[in-house]
Amino acid sequence: MSTRIDRPADRLHIAVTSPDPFARGVARGEQLRDVLAGGIAGYDRFFRIGGISPQQVRDDAERTLDTIGGFRPHARAQIEGIAHGAGVDVRRIAALNARTEILARSTTVPPGECSTLVRRTEDDATGSPRTFGIQTWDWHVELTPFWHTLESRGGTHDVVGLTEHGILAKIGVNSAGLALHFNILGHREDGAGGIPVHVLAAVVLEEAGSVAEAVEIVRSAPIASSGSFTLFDTTDAVLLDLSPDGVFALEPDNGTLVRTNHFLTPVPAANEKTWLYQPDSGNRYTLLRKRLTDTAPPRSADELVRFLVSGAGEAALTCLPDMGLPEGQRWASLATVILEPASRTARILDGTPADAGTRPWRYLHAQDNSGHGTAT
């Protein structure tokens, strides 16, 4: 039976500033020191439920850390800094960052589900291009306490957004006006050892100043697992299928990008783990497409929220956990995130889309008029 989600009274916010990536990591680890153990223990349970041994987790973490170091030494330095600041073994932090890839080994702990909608339109007053996006982050309800909002300043670009304790990044926007929404996909060849999709998201947000630069970074990465980045800046938008088969792009359809949790390009779709997400992912995708056809398309970020609110009998765009299911299968919309590249703003709701009128949004600004990120 579905139930409401028990959320912290005051969601943790972490802000770090340093030109040195190791120092940024240390500052994050120090702020996570009292809460990180709960997130590590949560993933240890899911690895165990998924039949993945502690030794396999350690081996995957070590291989992944070496790959990260070869691809982007500064990303490895941040991971090592988090471990140092929190006082934990660096392999534990590496395993958190590779949790998607490690869990891909499991046949008993399927991933969660997310729904994303991005619009590219024209400003009513000026006629200039404008983009904005929204997504739910749906994941295991047991991990509700173990995520935070983030401001990270001092790299090539400042970054604000949402991520899990110990994980470099997930969903966010940077001070150059590049935004990234994040969805999980499933491919038969998924595994650990490449660049974890969460680490790749962090690299993109820290380094890329445009959609074109972001795509170039993604295509250069040694990818061994699947995911989707919906990337957009003030003028451009693209949806990427990331997979062991390669990286495949889709342009907006009538100014809109819709993403749930199945591949939308044919090459990786041929090797998809369809049993992970279907028919749920297809049902959510179809519902979003129908709503876009049946109603006027959204003209502003505020108008996006209603497209992700679903009720009884509808596909679960708004996801509440069924606590009658075993641990590892209780999905919930842990957060709702709106990204606006023009204002360099991430708007984060510690709630489902249906909670938008009753719970407060947290506004994070990657860059204000003085060039510094702010949180409100």
Side-chain angles (χ1 to χ4, degrees), residues 2-187:
S2 296
T3 186
R4 305 296 294 179
I5 303 167
D6 186 16
R7 302 177 185 275
D10 187 18
R11 176 65 59 185
L12 178 64
H13 177 70
I14 287 181
V16 297
T17 304
S18 175
D20 175 43
F22 181 77
R24 288 200 303 277
V26 171
R28 288 174 69 165
E30 290 173 346
Q31 294 175 66
L32 288 167
R33 179 179 285 267
D34 294 337
V35 296
L36 185 56
I40 291 173
Y43 277 108
D44 281 348
R45 290 197 308 274
F46 291 126
F47 295 150
R48 185 172 61 253
I49 293 169
I52 306 164
S53 72
Q55 184 61 54
Q56 185 65 73
V57 172
R58 287 191 293 270
D59 290 347
D60 286 347
E62 289 174 355
R63 289 192 300 122
T64 297
L65 199 58
D66 287 343
T67 302
I68 294 169
F71 180 64
R72 288 296 191 276
H74 69 78
R76 175 169 182 155
Q78 289 188 64
I79 290 171
E80 291 173 338
I82 291 172
H84 181 82
V88 301
D89 188 320
V90 69
R91 291 174 298 183
R92 307 312 298 271
I93 306 302
L96 291 176
N97 280 272
R99 55 86 156 162
T100 299
E101 290 72 23
I102 295 171
L103 285 171
R105 295 179 177 278
S106 171
T107 59
T108 57
V109 181
E113 59 210 27
C114 303
S115 302
T116 297
L117 175 62
V118 169
R119 280 284 293 164
R120 184 177 65 190
T121 184
E122 293 181 350
D123 186 271
D124 292 332
T126 66
S128 58
R130 191 161 52 94
T131 59
F132 43 88
I134 190 172
Q135 81 163 93
T136 56
W137 173 42
D138 302 340
W139 197 229
H140 301 283
V141 71
E142 293 85 0
L143 295 172
T144 300
F146 305 117
W147 64 270
H148 60 275
T149 58
L150 173 70
E151 292 177 72
S152 178
R153 300 194 293 274
T156 303
H157 302 294
D158 298 346
V159 177
V160 298
L162 168 159
T163 191
E164 297 174 72
H165 293 354
I167 295 179
L168 293 188
K170 186 185 298 289
I171 305 158
V173 64
N174 71 19
S175 53
L178 175 75
L180 185 154
H181 283 301
F182 187 112
N183 293 60
I184 293 177
L185 306 175
H187 188 282

Side-chain angles (χ1 to χ4, degrees), residues 229-253:
F229 294 169
T230 306
L231 299 162
F232 52 111
D233 55 30
T234 54
T235 58
D236 296 326
V238 68
L239 186 153
L240 299 182
D241 277 354
L242 283 61
S243 78
D245 287 330
V247 177
F248 304 87
L250 281 175
E251 299 296 323
D253 178 12

Side-chain angles (χ1 to χ4, degrees), residues 153-367:
R153 300 194 293 274
T156 303
H157 302 294
D158 298 346
V159 177
V160 298
L162 168 159
T163 191
E164 297 174 72
H165 293 354
I167 295 179
L168 293 188
K170 186 185 298 289
I171 305 158
V173 64
N174 71 19
S175 53
L178 175 75
L180 185 154
H181 283 301
F182 187 112
N183 293 60
I184 293 177
L185 306 175
H187 188 282
R188 290 185 177 92
E189 301 301 320
D190 284 344
I195 292 297
V197 286
H198 285 86
V199 174
L200 184 56
V203 170
V204 166
L205 285 169
E206 186 169 311
E207 295 184 10
S210 66
V211 166
E213 290 181 11
V215 172
E216 184 177 354
I217 291 169
V218 173
R219 291 194 184 281
S220 73
I223 295 171
S225 58
S226 298
S228 173
F229 294 169
T230 306
L231 299 162
F232 52 111
D233 55 30
T234 54
T235 58
D236 296 326
V238 68
L239 186 153
L240 299 182
D241 277 354
L242 283 61
S243 78
D245 287 330
V247 177
F248 304 87
L250 281 175
E251 299 296 323
D253 178 12
N254 292 321
T256 305
L257 291 169
V258 176
R259 163 63 80 191
T260 51
N261 297 98
H262 58 279
F263 289 107
L264 296 176
T265 55
V267 173
N271 288 303
E272 186 164 35
K273 295 179 180 177
T274 55
W275 61 90
L276 283 180
Y277 298 110
Q278 300 294 13
D280 174 76
S281 180
N283 291 341
R284 284 182 286 121
Y285 186 88
T286 298
L287 178 57
L288 275 172
R289 281 293 183 192
K290 184 176 188 302
R291 288 179 171 182
L292 290 164
T293 300
D294 292 349
T295 63
R299 301 288 300 171
S300 69
D302 289 331
E303 294 179 27
L304 292 171
V305 178
R306 61 186 171 89
F307 285 86
L308 294 184
V309 177
S310 57
E314 292 186 307
L317 299 169
T318 300
C319 187
L320 292 174
D322 184 347
M323 300 307 290
L325 294 174
E327 186 175 15
Q329 300 179 33
R330 302 165 183 166
W331 312 124
S333 294
L334 301 189
T336 306
V337 185
I338 291 174
L339 302 177
E340 297 178 81
S343 59
R344 279 67 167 162
T345 300
R347 195 188 317 178
I348 299 170
L349 177 69
D350 191 350
T352 76
D355 295 324
T358 58
R359 295 182 62 86
W361 293 83
R362 178 172 289 176
Y363 286 75
L364 304 177
H365 306 277
Q367 188 177 49

